[in-house]
PDB file of all heavy atoms in Angstrom:
ATOM      1  N   THR R 199    -131.833  -5.563  84.054  1.00 96.00           N
ATOM      2  CA  THR R 199    -131.474  -4.395  83.244  1.00 96.00           C
ATOM      3  C   THR R 199    -129.982  -4.076  83.291  1.00 96.00           C
ATOM      4  O   THR R 199    -129.485  -3.313  82.459  1.00 96.00           O
ATOM      5  CB  THR R 199    -132.259  -3.149  83.715  1.00 96.00           C
ATOM      6  OG1 THR R 199    -131.978  -2.902  85.103  1.00 96.00           O
ATOM      7  CG2 THR R 199    -133.752  -3.334  83.510  1.00 96.00           C
ATOM      8  N   GLU R 200    -129.248  -4.658  84.245  1.00 98.00           N
ATOM      9  CA  GLU R 200    -127.806  -4.384  84.360  1.00 98.00           C
ATOM     10  C   GLU R 200    -126.974  -5.207  83.377  1.00 98.00           C
ATOM     11  O   GLU R 200    -125.822  -4.858  83.091  1.00 98.00           O
ATOM     12  CB  GLU R 200    -127.328  -4.662  85.783  1.00 98.00           C
ATOM     13  CG  GLU R 200    -128.029  -3.845  86.863  1.00 98.00           C
ATOM     14  CD  GLU R 200    -127.852  -2.357  86.670  1.00 98.00           C
ATOM     15  OE1 GLU R 200    -126.754  -1.922  86.268  1.00 98.00           O
ATOM     16  OE2 GLU R 200    -128.818  -1.618  86.916  1.00 98.00           O
ATOM     17  N   THR R 201    -127.534  -6.282  82.882  1.00 97.00           N
ATOM     18  CA  THR R 201    -126.783  -7.141  81.951  1.00 97.00           C
ATOM     19  C   THR R 201    -127.581  -7.505  80.709  1.00 97.00           C
ATOM     20  O   THR R 201    -127.000  -7.969  79.717  1.00 97.00           O
ATOM     21  CB  THR R 201    -126.364  -8.453  82.641  1.00 97.00           C
ATOM     22  OG1 THR R 201    -127.530  -9.114  83.145  1.00 97.00           O
ATOM     23  CG2 THR R 201    -125.400  -8.174  83.785  1.00 97.00           C
ATOM     24  N   GLY R 202    -128.898  -7.339  80.754  1.00 96.00           N
ATOM     25  CA  GLY R 202    -129.735  -7.769  79.635  1.00 96.00           C
ATOM     26  C   GLY R 202    -130.081  -6.632  78.689  1.00 96.00           C
ATOM     27  O   GLY R 202    -130.190  -5.471  79.086  1.00 96.00           O
ATOM     28  N   ILE R 203    -130.247  -6.997  77.430  1.00 97.00           N
ATOM     29  CA  ILE R 203    -130.638  -6.045  76.392  1.00 97.00           C
ATOM     30  C   ILE R 203    -131.843  -6.609  75.659  1.00 97.00           C
ATOM     31  O   ILE R 203    -131.847  -7.773  75.242  1.00 97.00           O
ATOM     32  CB  ILE R 203    -129.491  -5.793  75.394  1.00 97.00           C
ATOM     33  CG1 ILE R 203    -128.284  -5.185  76.120  1.00 97.00           C
ATOM     34  CG2 ILE R 203    -129.941  -4.867  74.268  1.00 97.00           C
ATOM     35  CD1 ILE R 203    -127.064  -5.006  75.237  1.00 97.00           C
ATOM     36  N   ARG R 204    -132.841  -5.809  75.497  1.00 96.00           N
ATOM     37  CA  ARG R 204    -134.074  -6.265  74.857  1.00 96.00           C
ATOM     38  C   ARG R 204    -133.873  -6.595  73.386  1.00 96.00           C
ATOM     39  O   ARG R 204    -132.990  -6.045  72.725  1.00 96.00           O
ATOM     40  CB  ARG R 204    -135.151  -5.172  74.956  1.00 96.00           C
ATOM     41  CG  ARG R 204    -135.804  -5.053  76.307  1.00 96.00           C
ATOM     42  CD  ARG R 204    -136.980  -4.102  76.194  1.00 96.00           C
ATOM     43  NE  ARG R 204    -137.646  -3.915  77.464  1.00 96.00           N
ATOM     44  CZ  ARG R 204    -138.711  -3.131  77.623  1.00 96.00           C
ATOM     45  NH1 ARG R 204    -139.215  -2.475  76.591  1.00 96.00           N
ATOM     46  NH2 ARG R 204    -139.262  -3.015  78.805  1.00 96.00           N
ATOM     47  N   ASP R 205    -134.728  -7.478  72.889  1.00 96.00           N
ATOM     48  CA  ASP R 205    -134.821  -7.695  71.447  1.00 96.00           C
ATOM     49  C   ASP R 205    -135.646  -6.549  70.877  1.00 96.00           C
ATOM     50  O   ASP R 205    -136.785  -6.323  71.292  1.00 96.00           O
ATOM     51  CB  ASP R 205    -135.494  -9.034  71.143  1.00 96.00           C
ATOM     52  CG  ASP R 205    -134.639 -10.219  71.570  1.00 96.00           C
ATOM     53  OD1 ASP R 205    -133.395 -10.081  71.528  1.00 96.00           O
ATOM     54  OD2 ASP R 205    -135.211 -11.263  71.961  1.00 96.00           O
ATOM     55  N   LEU R 206    -135.063  -5.841  69.944  1.00 97.00           N
ATOM     56  CA  LEU R 206    -135.697  -4.646  69.404  1.00 97.00           C
ATOM     57  C   LEU R 206    -136.143  -4.870  67.963  1.00 97.00           C
ATOM     58  O   LEU R 206    -135.494  -5.593  67.210  1.00 97.00           O
ATOM     59  CB  LEU R 206    -134.736  -3.459  69.468  1.00 97.00           C
ATOM     60  CG  LEU R 206    -134.244  -3.097  70.867  1.00 97.00           C
ATOM     61  CD1 LEU R 206    -133.091  -2.091  70.781  1.00 97.00           C
ATOM     62  CD2 LEU R 206    -135.379  -2.521  71.709  1.00 97.00           C
ATOM     63  N   THR R 207    -137.238  -4.235  67.598  1.00 96.00           N
ATOM     64  CA  THR R 207    -137.753  -4.361  66.238  1.00 96.00           C
ATOM     65  C   THR R 207    -136.999  -3.423  65.302  1.00 96.00           C
ATOM     66  O   THR R 207    -136.320  -2.481  65.745  1.00 96.00           O
ATOM     67  CB  THR R 207    -139.246  -4.020  66.190  1.00 96.00           C
ATOM     68  OG1 THR R 207    -139.421  -2.627  66.518  1.00 96.00           O
ATOM     69  CG2 THR R 207    -140.033  -4.876  67.179  1.00 96.00           C
ATOM     70  N   GLU R 208    -137.156  -3.667  64.020  1.00 96.00           N
ATOM     71  CA  GLU R 208    -136.520  -2.795  63.024  1.00 96.00           C
ATOM     72  C   GLU R 208    -137.068  -1.376  63.132  1.00 96.00           C
ATOM     73  O   GLU R 208    -136.336  -0.401  62.969  1.00 96.00           O
ATOM     74  CB  GLU R 208    -136.766  -3.349  61.626  1.00 96.00           C
ATOM     75  CG  GLU R 208    -136.097  -2.542  60.528  1.00 96.00           C
ATOM     76  CD  GLU R 208    -136.314  -3.139  59.154  1.00 96.00           C
ATOM     77  OE1 GLU R 208    -136.864  -4.254  59.069  1.00 96.00           O
ATOM     78  OE2 GLU R 208    -135.944  -2.479  58.161  1.00 96.00           O
TER      79      GLU R 208
END
Side-chain angles (χ1 to χ4, degrees):
T199 58
E200 301 300 322
T201 57
I203 298 175
R204 283 189 181 180
D205 293 329
L206 301 169
T207 65
E208 182 178 353

